[in-house]
């Protein structure tokens, strides 16, 4: 991404969130859009693929608090591609190259950039792994971050699972060892002198930098282009890797695996792999944070007289629940340590909700017993307090 693109792209608009959106709101918007435009759900739709790339790019910046701050700072300083002079600067024009600002260079341009704290090099260098004008692209370069998704069953999410992930990303071309030249001897680009960037006048008294059109931002030109990568030095690489998803992950959680992304160039480190986890539902159990939930039917006699009932657990032995006499329908009790795993190794609880079961068919003996119970409790009105309360305010 060029400096101009970075300044002008509105990542908040891409995700459809306001600039003061919380991390949770950004995460929710990204999940919704990623599912809608994911290539697997839009096979053959190039527009959806491009949209997915834009969404991933925006989330990569706004989803990381540090990158988001750098992005906001840069946008605040440059606005819509124009430089905003600080207080006391007057209406005069500034004659310097943005490369001086980014690299913190000396000279006239460097003196101007000094009034802004010299932090812009960190802002853009951190986002694009790019140095100042004296830094060439022939140095080691970090690989790109890769986003992918995985769907787990409810049990796998609670207990953890090792899953195979097939990823396709850009990697150094094996045929030319990433040089772009079939003989392995590319030359330094004469247009940008190896920097990978060229200055472009903006008409506002300073210049912006764009990727060099001759070397496509690599800083190198292949005299004898490699047939496999057409001289780019990069080629698509597919690989399958086993990824361990930790126990206790939640639906929509985004896991970062350092160094598992696209390989770097010329000895540079690999990027990171970001895995968004989707979790399926369970027929019996639900989840509230670190706690699991289950609804257990009990008979009227068990609820009224008390008793012990067996309750299933997820992946373990059943537990025995003591139901106190007079337990109302809907009461929730707790089996400690039978929930989801936490980061510290402990476990949440199993929340057991009692549901009084009303039989559809009664035997003659059961009916007689209930008739006798009704006669014995005929003087009791469970709705008396309800009507008394209804007479009030």
């Amino acid at each position: 991404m060029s400096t101009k693109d970075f300044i002008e792209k509105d990542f908040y608009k891409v995700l459809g969130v306001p600039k003061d959106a919380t991390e949770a709101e950004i995460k929710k918007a990204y999940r919704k859009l990623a599912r809608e435009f994911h290539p697997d759900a839009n096979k053959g739709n190039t527009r959806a693929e491009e949209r997915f790339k834009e969404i991933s790019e925006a989330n990569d910046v706004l989803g990381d608090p540090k990158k988001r701050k750098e992005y906001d700072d840069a946008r605040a300083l440059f606005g819509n591609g124009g430089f905003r002079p600080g207080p006391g600067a007057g209406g005069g024009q500034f004659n310097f190259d943005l490369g001086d600002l980014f690299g913190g260079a000396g000279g006239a341009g460097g003196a101007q950039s000094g009034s802004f704290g010299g932090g812009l090099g960190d802002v853009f260098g951190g986002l694009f792994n790019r140095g100042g004008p004296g830094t060439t692209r022939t140095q080691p370069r970090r690989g790109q971050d890769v986003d992918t998704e995985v769907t787990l069953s409810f049990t796998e999410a609670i207990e953890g699972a090792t899953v195979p992930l097939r990823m396709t990303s850009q990697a150094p071309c094996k045929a030319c060892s990433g040089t772009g030249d079939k003989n392995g001897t590319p030359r330094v680009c004469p247009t940008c002198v190896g920097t990978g960037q060229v200055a472009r006048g903006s008409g506002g008294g300073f210049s912006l930098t764009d990727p060099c059109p001759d070397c496509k931002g690599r800083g190198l030109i292949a005299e004898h282009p490699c047939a496999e990568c057409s001289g780019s030095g990069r080629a698509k690489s597919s690989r399958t890797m086993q990824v361990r998803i930790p126990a206790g992950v939640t639906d929509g959680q985004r896991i970062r695996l350092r160094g598992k992304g696209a390989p770097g160039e010329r000895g540079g480190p690999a990027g990171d792999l970001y895995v968004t986890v989707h979790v399926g539902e369970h027929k019996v159990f639900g989840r509230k944070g670190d706690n699991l939930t289950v609804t257990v039917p009990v008979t009227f006699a068990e609820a009224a007289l008390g008793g012990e009932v067996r309750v299933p657990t997820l992946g373990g032995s059943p537990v025995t629940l003591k139901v106190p006499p007079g337990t109302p329908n809907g009461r929730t009790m707790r089996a400690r340590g039978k929930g989801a795993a936490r980061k510290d190794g402990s476990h949440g609880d199993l929340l057991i909700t009692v549901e009084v079961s009303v039989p559809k068919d009664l035997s003659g003996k059961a009916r007689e017993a209930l008739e006798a119970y009704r006669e014995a409790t005929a003087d009791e009105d469970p709705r008396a307090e309800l009507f008394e309360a209804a007479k009030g305010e």
Side-chain angles (χ1 to χ4, degrees):
M1 183 190 302
S2 68
T3 299
K4 180 176 181 294
D5 288 339
F6 171 72
I7 294 174
E8 294 183 350
K9 281 190 175 181
D10 190 341
F11 293 141
Y12 291 100
K13 184 176 180 181
V14 171
L15 294 183
V17 297
K19 293 183 179 180
D20 58 353
T22 64
E23 290 185 26
E25 291 172 336
I26 291 174
K27 180 179 179 181
K28 181 178 180 181
Y30 166 70
R31 285 173 52 193
K32 178 181 178 182
L33 293 172
R35 289 179 180 178
E36 180 180 352
F37 293 99
H38 196 279
D40 290 345
N42 298 272
K43 296 187 182 299
N45 189 335
T46 56
R47 175 55 191 142
E49 183 177 352
E50 290 300 318
R51 182 79 171 106
F52 182 76
K53 290 179 180 179
E54 293 175 357
I55 294 165
S56 299
E57 181 182 57
N59 182 66
D60 183 55
V61 175
L62 300 186
D64 185 316
K66 181 180 178 182
K67 288 184 179 180
R68 181 181 180 182
K69 184 179 183 303
E70 292 172 345
Y71 172 71
D72 288 341
D73 290 345
R75 293 272 295 180
L77 180 60
F78 289 96
N80 296 323
F83 180 72
R84 298 179 181 178
Q93 293 184 342
F94 291 82
N95 243 344
F96 56 82
D97 191 302
L98 285 184
D100 296 333
L101 281 175
F102 303 150
Q112 296 289 357
S113 66
S115 63
F116 302 99
L120 291 177
D122 296 333
V123 171
F124 290 92
L127 287 172
F128 304 114
N129 302 304
R130 184 170 70 188
T135 304
T136 68
R137 293 294 181 93
T138 57
Q139 294 182 348
R141 185 164 62 178
R142 179 180 180 275
Q144 293 181 336
D145 293 337
V146 178
D147 278 279
T148 189
E149 299 183 359
V150 65
T151 299
L152 302 180
S153 69
F154 188 91
T155 302
E156 288 175 330
I158 298 299
E159 299 179 350
T162 299
V163 297
L165 290 180
R166 183 172 178 80
M167 298 183 302
T168 300
S169 62
Q170 291 291 322
C173 176
K174 294 182 179 180
C176 63
S177 301
T179 64
D181 191 287
K182 67 179 182 180
N183 298 327
T185 56
R187 63 185 179 90
V188 174
C189 174
T191 302
C192 63
V193 197
T195 65
Q197 303 172 2
V198 291
R200 177 175 56 82
S202 68
F206 58 90
S207 61
L208 297 171
T209 55
D210 284 332
C212 176
D214 292 335
C215 66
K216 311 302 181 186
R218 296 187 67 235
L220 300 172
I221 289 182
E223 293 284 1
H224 308 284
C226 170
E228 294 294 327
C229 65
S230 301
S232 68
R234 307 288 284 180
K236 281 190 175 182
S237 174
S238 296
R239 55 186 173 131
T240 300
M241 60 187 300
Q242 299 294 321
V243 175
R244 179 64 185 174
I245 305 298
V249 294
T250 58
D251 183 51
Q253 184 173 342
R254 193 167 183 249
I255 300 172
R256 179 184 184 185
L257 301 176
R258 296 181 182 275
K260 299 298 183 180
E265 290 188 66
R266 295 177 289 278
D272 298 332
L273 172 64
Y274 290 89
V275 182
T276 300
V277 180
H278 303 292
V279 181
E281 295 183 352
H282 197 279
K283 294 180 179 179
V284 174
F285 298 97
R287 185 172 182 180
K288 289 184 178 180
D290 295 331
N291 298 323
L292 299 183
T293 63
V294 64
T295 298
V296 178
V298 297
T299 66
F300 173 75
E302 289 171 332
L305 303 177
E308 294 184 349
V309 297
R310 282 162 51 87
V311 178
T313 62
L314 184 66
S317 302
V319 295
T320 299
L321 176 68
K322 292 184 178 181
V323 181
T327 296
N329 182 63
R331 180 176 178 181
T332 298
M333 289 171 276
R334 186 183 301 266
R336 298 193 179 278
K338 298 299 181 180
R342 300 189 179 105
K343 291 183 179 180
D344 61 3
S346 63
H347 287 73
D349 302 329
L350 176 62
L351 305 180
I352 307 167
T353 300
V354 171
E355 182 178 71
V356 177
S357 177
V358 179
K360 295 181 180 179
D361 299 310
L362 291 173
S363 65
K365 187 176 181 180
R367 180 175 293 278
E368 289 178 5
L370 282 178
E371 290 289 353
Y373 171 78
R374 181 161 60 181
E375 290 180 7
T377 58
D379 295 336
E380 298 179 10
D381 185 359
R383 293 171 290 281
E385 293 183 1
L386 175 66
F387 282 95
E388 285 296 329
K391 294 178 182 179
E393 297 181 355

